[in-house]
Amino acid sequence: MTGIKVVDASAFAALLFGEKEAEAVAASLGDARLAAPALLSFELANVCLSKMRRHPGDCRKIGGQAAWAMGWVRLLADWNFCPKLEPSVPL
């Protein structure tokens, strides 16, 4: 395992929603221990709201992914160890 890396909302969202940058984000994070700023949950909620507005038919899927992610956000914001995050399935 390498050192600690701080993951921001755009990187976390890329992994969560399987965006085209997800593979690059996962590769750059590698096996590092992850941490996040305390505002990550608010930033991620804003990303989810934007996605729901763009894809109203996918609101339940986006909300489910967001709910799952919030558990990891709490761990990251507390600087606890987080297992390697894998890219999700794209919308």
Side-chain angles (χ1 to χ4, degrees), residues 4-61:
I4 295 174
K5 290 188 178 181
V6 176
V7 63
D8 70 357
S10 61
F12 196 91
L15 292 169
L16 177 62
F17 295 109
E19 296 174 356
K20 63 182 178 181
E21 302 86 5
E23 292 296 328
V25 169
S28 70
L29 294 175
D31 291 331
R33 189 173 171 169
L34 302 179
L39 290 176
L40 182 64
S41 59
F42 298 103
E43 294 170 341
L44 189 57
N46 188 49
V47 169
C48 291
L49 182 58
S50 296
K51 287 192 173 292
M52 288 176 172
R53 287 180 178 150
R54 280 196 304 267
H55 307 282
D58 292 327
C59 283
R60 283 190 176 191
K61 180 179 179 181

Side-chain angles (χ1 to χ4, degrees), residues 49-82:
L49 182 58
S50 296
K51 287 192 173 292
M52 288 176 172
R53 287 180 178 150
R54 280 196 304 267
H55 307 282
D58 292 327
C59 283
R60 283 190 176 191
K61 180 179 179 181
I62 294 167
Q65 288 172 303
W68 174 86
M70 289 304 168
W72 290 115
V73 169
R74 284 190 204 103
L75 289 174
L76 291 172
D78 289 340
W79 287 82
N80 288 328
F81 175 75
C82 178

